[in-house]
Amino acid sequence: MTNRPNGLTYAAAGVDIDAGNELVEAIKPLAKATRRPGADGSLGGFGALFDLKAAGFSDPLIVSTTDGVGTKLKVAIETGLHDTVGIDLVAMCVNDLLAQGAEPLLFLDYYATGKLDVATARRVVAGIAEGCKQANCVLSGGETAEMPGMYGEGDYDLAGFCVGAVERGAVLPKLTDQQAGDVLIGLGSSGPHSNGYSLVRKIVERSGLAWDAPAPFAPGATLAQALMQPTRIYISSVVPLIQAGLVKACAHITGGGLIENPPRVIADGLAARFDWDAWALPPVFEWLQKEGGVADAEMRRTFNCGIGLMLIVAAENVEPVLVSLLNAGEEAFVCGELAAG
């Protein structure tokens, strides 16, 4: 090829291939630490392989999910708190798998930015690796895209993709098994998780508080630290209950809150009847509601209001399910029942 000393280069156009290679090397140990049966957690190939037989499945169905972190990323970028958005990314995908009864197996991420900052990207990917460890799935690959002109200085975006599996006879929801009188069990959230942050940011703006001001609802934390609490991952506590046949349905309470999500896993002719007095609204939501003047209906349709995951179980299984969840470290409580209508 002809050497053209005055010609343009990819680096001159704003894309640093060397920085990308540096990031890959920096995150290889993070991916390796997420190994699980069926995959070795290696990076660098053009695709990721997974051995379902080695993972213990006999007649599996593959389930896939994808999600992002939404405008919670804006808080991370504005405050420099990049260490936990990766956990959020994994959580939003793997918790969705539970709604199908599936166990997460492998995870891939997409990180896009205008100019790659290796240190920041490594912090984000370290969070992704931590989320994968919590979910017992392997970080099997990903993509880093450096796109000058697409993003403002310091901005980045994230997307996550997760593949899981479920034995053919264990798929959720079990619509034909549901009946009036089945019990709703709520699993406590760690905060707003990764939903409603466009409203959260508006409320913070209205409050006049800076991100580094003390959080009015979380002693010892700044406002940013309190609102950046990562999404709770429910895999280790809920998968065993699903595999034991104790769960009829599972709803991940994400965008749409407690109004829009439960109907997606409930049989026709039945509806969720919540006992809104069964649990106290966590302080973060009390503050958001008061500071923003947000109506109850809007709160319940926007936020999880303290319930990150909802299970539907037969009345006779409530006690063993609650005992198992509490022993696994979850905050779990009866929050209503299925009713005809």
Side-chain angles (χ1 to χ4, degrees):
M1 297 179 68
T2 304
N3 184 30
R4 301 181 186 273
N6 296 321
L8 288 173
T9 65
Y10 211 11
V15 178
D16 190 341
I17 295 176
D18 291 335
N21 291 334
E22 181 183 347
L23 177 61
V24 170
E25 291 303 314
I27 65 178
K28 277 184 177 179
L30 300 174
K32 188 176 181 180
T34 66
R35 286 180 177 176
R36 59 153 294 154
D40 63 7
S42 62
L43 290 181
F46 286 92
L49 301 177
F50 194 93
D51 186 342
L52 288 169
K53 186 175 181 180
F57 289 90
S58 57
D59 185 22
L61 295 173
I62 294 295
V63 185
S64 58
T65 59
T66 183
D67 212 331
V69 183
T71 58
K72 191 173 187 178
L73 281 181
K74 292 289 290 182
V75 183
I77 292 165
E78 290 173 12
T79 63
L81 298 176
H82 304 290
D83 300 290
T84 56
V85 288
I87 300 176
D88 288 302
L89 186 67
V90 175
M92 295 304 288
C93 293
V94 300
N95 288 341
D96 275 355
L97 288 177
L98 289 173
Q100 305 296 151
E103 174 187 353
L105 302 175
L106 58 88
F107 188 87
L108 300 98
D109 70 280
Y110 176 78
Y111 180 99
T113 186
K115 182 173 177 55
L116 183 60
D117 181 321
V118 174
T120 297
R122 188 194 179 282
R123 290 170 65 188
V124 172
V125 176
I128 294 172
E130 172 58 28
C132 287
K133 285 190 282 187
Q134 291 182 25
N136 191 31
C137 67
V138 64
L139 177 56
S140 59
E143 173 69 10
T144 302
E146 191 173 24
M147 299 184 285
M150 284 288 289
Y151 298 90
E153 183 178 354
D155 285 347
Y156 62 88
D157 200 6
L158 291 176
F161 312 88
C162 193
V163 176
V166 56
E167 296 290 1
R168 193 175 300 271
V171 176
L172 295 181
K174 297 179 179 178
L175 298 177
T176 58
D177 290 349
Q178 294 176 18
Q179 59 185 4
D182 284 346
V183 177
L184 312 181
I185 293 180
L187 280 71
S189 68
S190 57
H193 284 179
S194 300
N195 300 104
Y197 272 79
S198 293
L199 179 56
V200 168
R201 289 164 49 243
K202 279 286 186 184
I203 293 171
V204 170
E205 182 182 348
R206 174 184 284 191
S207 76
L209 292 175
W211 288 119
D212 59 357
F217 52 87
T222 68
L223 185 60
Q225 289 169 340
L227 289 173
M228 286 298 293
Q229 284 295 309
T231 306
R232 190 163 180 81
I233 291 174
Y234 300 99
I235 299 301
S236 63
S237 56
V238 174
V239 165
L241 295 173
I242 294 173
Q243 293 176 340
L246 296 175
V247 177
K248 294 186 178 185
C250 173
H252 185 198
I253 310 303
T254 56
L258 289 165
I259 304 301
E260 304 289 342
N261 288 290
R264 298 164 66 184
V265 300
I266 295 175
D268 291 342
L270 297 171
R273 178 184 292 162
F274 283 101
D275 176 2
W276 298 104
D277 296 321
W279 76 100
L281 193 66
V284 58
F285 296 110
E286 288 186 335
W287 182 81
L288 289 169
Q289 181 170 31
K290 181 179 179 181
E291 199 66 40
V294 184
D296 285 347
E298 186 70 13
M299 289 291 294
R300 294 168 184 172
R301 194 179 183 189
T302 303
F303 300 115
N304 64 58
C305 295
I307 295 179
L309 199 76
M310 187 199 79
L311 306 180
I312 299 176
V313 304
E316 62 268 22
N317 290 330
V318 169
E319 184 175 354
V321 167
L322 285 177
V323 168
S324 177
L325 291 171
L326 293 172
N327 287 340
E330 300 290 354
E331 177 192 0
F333 47 88
V334 172
C335 60
E337 66 177 8
L338 287 188

